[in-house]
Amino acid sequence: MNEMSGTNWFYRLLFSLLILFLLLIFTVVFSITLGSAAVTPWTALKVLFSYLTGGTAFIHSGVDPAVQVIILQIRLPRVILALFVGAALSTAGAALQGFLRNPLADPYTLGVSSGAAVGAAFTLIILRPGSTLAAAGLPLAAFLGALVTGVLVYYLAQIEGYLAVETLILAGVIMSSFMSAILSYLLTVAGENLHQIIYWLMGNLALRGSEYLIYTLPYLVGGITLICFFGRELNIMTFGEETAGQLGVAVEKTKRILLLLATLLTGIAVALAGTIGFVGLIVPHLVRLLLGPDHRVLLPVSAVGGGIFLIWADTIARTMLAPVELPVGVVTAFLGAPFFVYLLRTRKRRGF
């Protein structure tokens, strides 16, 4: 309790965010330089600086217009998309692990991602891809699918009014299997959209245009920000729900709000990039190992760290086997599956 009092956490948060901000700049520039067309870091910096200053320096930058198009219309939007999707998944995972007090909880293991995938796949089948209605309806359908799954998992894991964290993963596996069955049915009736849906389900940042991010950006930023404001409540809840209630925390209300926000972020992330697993599991645990369990630091640092992590994962996915591009979900699964096994093996030896 003493470690979570005072203002040390605030200075630790500021210092961590400063380091991550510098790492983010390096990550963005480095990711933009990699690809089929060679781009030097200096060229990437000049184009980005010209863009951020209003584009007037383009005339004097001496950069090939084709290179400017590659950077500003292809690589930079993809990097920005990876940043926000990674931040959303990581923040949702940190919040779920916090209020459920279960280190194995994340949107993927709880089946919420599968529910979002069902909602999004249904929308892709019935609406014409690329239309305005599809752009607006896809995030909503993914959110509703994630919300229904999250609520069902929540009530399945409850025993006599209390959330049984021991059965939470099992409930998530059950709902994930059920949603996978529905998804299999949708794939059989997908028709000409089958290939697009399968590729999208494997997790890919290349299939969505910037219009999708523009529609959903306010919800992503709002959801991440609101979750970060619950750091104090999550800290108190780590001492037990009864103690948290005695200290003035509305435990059940807090859990419902966090579940709703985590579901919102997961649904939008799935709508934007498909089912990308393990981001919400790996990043919060790494942050917790480096900076401790204080959620006032953990939540915002996980958000930025998740974005950086997914940019690197996407960079590996599109360059490792070039010109063939791997789905980014494959890269995160290669990294996340061993990490999940590590958590299972060490869970009984370490506290949470």
Side-chain angles (χ1 to χ4, degrees):
M1 179 74 81
N2 290 335
E3 292 181 357
M4 296 181 183
S5 60
T7 58
N8 287 339
W9 69 271
F10 183 71
Y11 295 114
R12 194 162 72 251
L13 173 61
L14 285 182
F15 179 75
S16 302
L17 291 179
L18 176 62
I19 297 297
L20 284 177
F21 179 71
L22 296 176
L23 179 60
L24 177 62
I25 294 175
F26 170 78
T27 301
V28 169
V29 173
F30 183 77
S31 178
I32 285 176
T33 61
L34 295 182
S36 56
V39 177
T40 65
W42 176 241
T43 301
L45 283 172
K46 280 203 300 184
V47 173
L48 291 176
F49 181 77
S50 299
Y51 177 72
L52 293 174
T53 54
T56 54
F58 275 142
I59 300 174
H60 310 289
S61 64
V63 178
D64 187 340
V67 174
Q68 297 176 19
V69 170
I70 291 173
I71 293 176
L72 297 178
Q73 297 186 16
I74 299 176
R75 295 182 185 175
L76 183 61
R78 182 161 173 161
V79 167
I80 294 174
L81 180 61
L83 173 65
F84 282 101
V85 170
L89 292 174
S90 183
T91 307
L96 289 173
Q97 290 160 20
F99 85 82
L100 296 174
R101 288 179 291 138
N102 191 314
L104 302 179
D106 89 327
Y108 190 79
T109 56
L110 291 184
V112 177
S113 295
S114 299
V118 169
F122 183 74
T123 305
L124 286 172
I125 291 173
I126 64 173
L127 298 180
R128 183 169 60 85
S131 65
T132 302
L133 186 58
L138 189 60
L140 178 61
F143 167 67
L144 292 176
L147 179 63
V148 170
T149 307
V151 169
L152 289 175
V153 169
Y154 181 85
Y155 282 105
L156 280 174
Q158 272 193 333
I159 298 176
E160 297 180 351
Y162 294 95
L163 187 64
V165 294
E166 293 81 5
T167 59
L168 189 67
I169 299 298
L170 180 60
V173 170
I174 292 172
M175 286 308 303
S176 181
S177 299
F178 181 65
M179 289 298 168
S180 295
I182 297 177
L183 192 59
S184 297
Y185 169 77
L186 292 176
L187 290 176
T188 62
V189 298
E192 60 183 9
N193 296 319
L194 178 62
H195 177 75
Q196 183 190 13
I197 294 175
I198 289 177
Y199 200 61
W200 169 79
L201 287 174
M202 297 169 71
N204 196 296
L205 293 164
L207 297 178
R208 293 286 164 266
S210 58
E211 71 276 10
Y212 282 86
L213 181 60
I214 293 172
Y215 276 117
T216 57
L217 190 58
Y219 301 101
L220 287 175
V221 175
I224 292 171
T225 305
L226 287 174
I227 285 180
C228 289
F229 280 122
F230 281 89
R232 175 182 171 276
E233 286 77 4
L234 286 173
N235 283 345
I236 297 175
M237 288 170 68
T238 58
F239 298 103
E241 294 183 3
E242 184 177 350
T243 302
Q246 293 171 349
L247 293 174
V249 176
V251 176
E252 292 303 321
K253 180 180 178 182
T254 300
K255 287 196 294 187
R256 285 195 293 270
I257 292 174
L258 288 175
L259 179 63
L260 181 66
L261 292 174
T263 301
L264 171 68
L265 294 179
T266 303
I268 294 175
V270 171
L272 289 171
T275 51
I276 301 174
F278 297 107
V279 177
L281 184 71
I282 297 174
V283 178
H285 276 287
L286 290 179
V287 175
R288 193 177 289 110
L289 288 172
L290 293 172
L291 301 174
D294 191 337
H295 288 86
R296 293 171 296 185
V297 178
L298 175 66
L299 290 170
V301 172
S302 293
V304 183
I308 295 173
F309 172 81
L310 195 57
I311 292 174
W312 280 103
D314 184 57
T315 303
I316 294 172
R318 63 183 175 83
T319 59
M320 187 170 70
L321 299 178
V324 177
E325 183 176 313
L326 283 173
V328 68
V330 174
V331 177
T332 59
F334 270 123
L335 298 173
F339 194 77
F340 188 79
V341 173
Y342 162 77
L343 290 177
L344 283 175
R345 298 289 297 176
T346 59
R347 186 185 177 191
K348 291 183 179 180
R349 297 199 297 268
R350 293 190 295 111
F352 177 66

